[in-house]
Amino acid sequence: MRKMPMTQRTCKSSIANHAMRLFVRLAIAIILGWLLVRFNFIFRPMFLALFATFLLNPPVEWLHRRKVPRPIGIAVVVALTGVILWLGGKYISASFVSFSEGFPQYEERISDLVGQARSITDHFSFINIDQIKDALRGVSLAGLVGNTLNSFLTALSYIVFTLLFLLYFLPAFPQLPEKIRRASPDERE
């Protein structure tokens, strides 16, 4: 068996090492992507709370500079934010209530539109009325209400998780840049 020169062996092992590092990085990226998708019910509120922390920290710092203790400043800012969001939610829910009260009118209008569509389809041979009926058969008010309730409960759980993460992140925010600096490899002692 013939031995390879040292430079060829080094070159091949370097390529193999590079390929192995690339494979490991790709595997880690795939695993992290899977984890993000799998646990999105935790990561979405966490990232939203982190974003809210960046938005709410300046008012907390402003209150802190005015000699308001930090925990009280956090409570005040979170409470004011909650009131603003609550008022916005009331406005949106009022819109939904008016929509639901006017739903019979919308149903009548939809029936009129379907009747107009039927009269239009008489002039077009490529449109089949049975296909339109099949498409409209899948639309149900019960399904709409169920999906809306499911969405509401999901949003409510996101709000609760976000609030919990926010109350965890906001007090620790002033020390965060120092902790990140100490965690970086070039700053370790």
Side-chain angles (χ1 to χ4, degrees), residues 2-147:
R2 194 173 132 216
K3 286 189 171 183
M4 284 194 257
M6 187 64 148
T7 57
Q8 285 182 345
R9 275 188 278 165
T10 307
C11 183
K12 285 188 178 184
S13 67
S14 173
I15 292 173
N17 286 340
H18 182 68
M20 182 57 91
R21 275 187 259 139
L22 184 64
F23 175 74
V24 168
R25 287 179 184 161
L26 182 64
I28 289 172
I30 289 171
I31 290 170
L32 284 177
W34 178 82
L35 287 173
L36 283 172
V37 169
R38 181 78 173 119
F39 295 107
N40 69 0
F41 64 94
I42 292 174
F43 289 122
R44 281 184 190 165
M46 185 174 70
F47 290 133
L48 185 60
L50 195 58
F51 178 70
T53 299
F54 282 100
L55 291 178
L56 298 179
N57 190 53
V60 170
E61 287 298 321
W62 182 82
L63 288 172
H64 188 64
R65 283 192 304 268
R66 303 283 183 274
K67 306 294 184 210
V68 175
R70 190 162 181 79
I72 293 174
I74 290 171
V76 167
V77 169
V78 169
L80 284 174
T81 303
V83 167
I84 291 169
L85 291 175
W86 178 72
L87 289 173
K90 282 193 65 83
Y91 176 74
I92 291 172
S93 70
S95 298
F96 280 127
V97 167
S98 71
F99 173 74
S100 66
E101 288 173 352
F103 196 74
Q105 295 171 350
Y106 296 127
E107 280 184 320
E108 290 174 18
R109 180 70 179 137
I110 289 172
S111 296
D112 291 342
L113 289 174
V114 168
Q116 290 175 4
R118 283 184 182 163
S119 67
I120 290 173
T121 59
D122 294 339
H123 303 316
F124 299 105
S125 61
F126 61 88
I127 298 176
N128 187 354
I129 193 68
D130 293 327
Q131 292 173 340
I132 295 174
K133 284 181 182 178
D134 289 340
L136 291 176
R137 193 171 294 134
V139 178
S140 74
L141 184 60
L144 179 66
V145 170
N147 288 338

